[in-house]
Amino acid sequence: TYLTILALERANQTQKKKIESVLADTNSTETDVKYVLSEMENLNVLIDITAEVDRHYEIALKNLDVFQQSDFKQELENLLTFLKNRDH
């Protein structure tokens, strides 16, 4: 995923080896996964990804401005808002 790619690009060699090891291990522990998430946070990956996702949603909403207001347009706006705010 983009999260992983960005984390690996920003990680030092030690971090990179550990992240790759955890991702390759089909039996990773909860501690391993927490380590990867922690490193992603330390590398500002999560903040930057959140900002990038927000930017894309804003672009999508702005692209709807070319359409006249209608029930269909409103439903698309509602869908974008729902997708942006969902937890999973």
Side-chain angles (χ1 to χ4, degrees):
T1 66
Y2 186 50
L3 285 166
T4 304
I5 293 168
L6 194 56
L8 292 172
E9 286 177 351
R10 294 179 179 184
N12 63 37
Q13 278 306 111
T14 304
Q15 292 166 316
K16 189 180 289 190
K17 284 181 184 179
K18 178 66 175 174
I19 292 169
E20 288 173 340
S21 171
V22 170
L23 294 174
D25 185 358
T26 57
N27 296 314
S28 296
T29 66
E30 184 176 341
T31 302
D32 292 332
V33 173
K34 284 182 180 180
Y35 168 82
V36 171
L37 292 175
S38 175
E39 288 304 317
M40 285 182 174
E41 188 171 340
N42 293 337
L43 296 166
N44 293 321
V45 170
L46 302 178
I47 290 170
D48 292 345
I49 293 294
T50 299
E52 185 71 12
V53 168
D54 287 347
R55 186 178 74 78
H56 282 281
Y57 277 111
E58 291 306 317
I59 290 169
L61 282 170
K62 187 168 181 69
N63 284 333
L64 290 176
D65 287 346
V66 299
F67 299 105
Q68 292 182 6
Q69 192 58 44
S70 68
D71 290 341
F72 299 112
K73 178 180 175 180
Q74 185 61 54
E75 286 302 317
L76 287 172
E77 290 170 344
N78 293 345
L79 176 61
L80 285 170
T81 301
F82 169 77
L83 292 173
K84 180 180 176 186
N85 295 322
R86 69 184 177 160
D87 289 334
H88 55 284

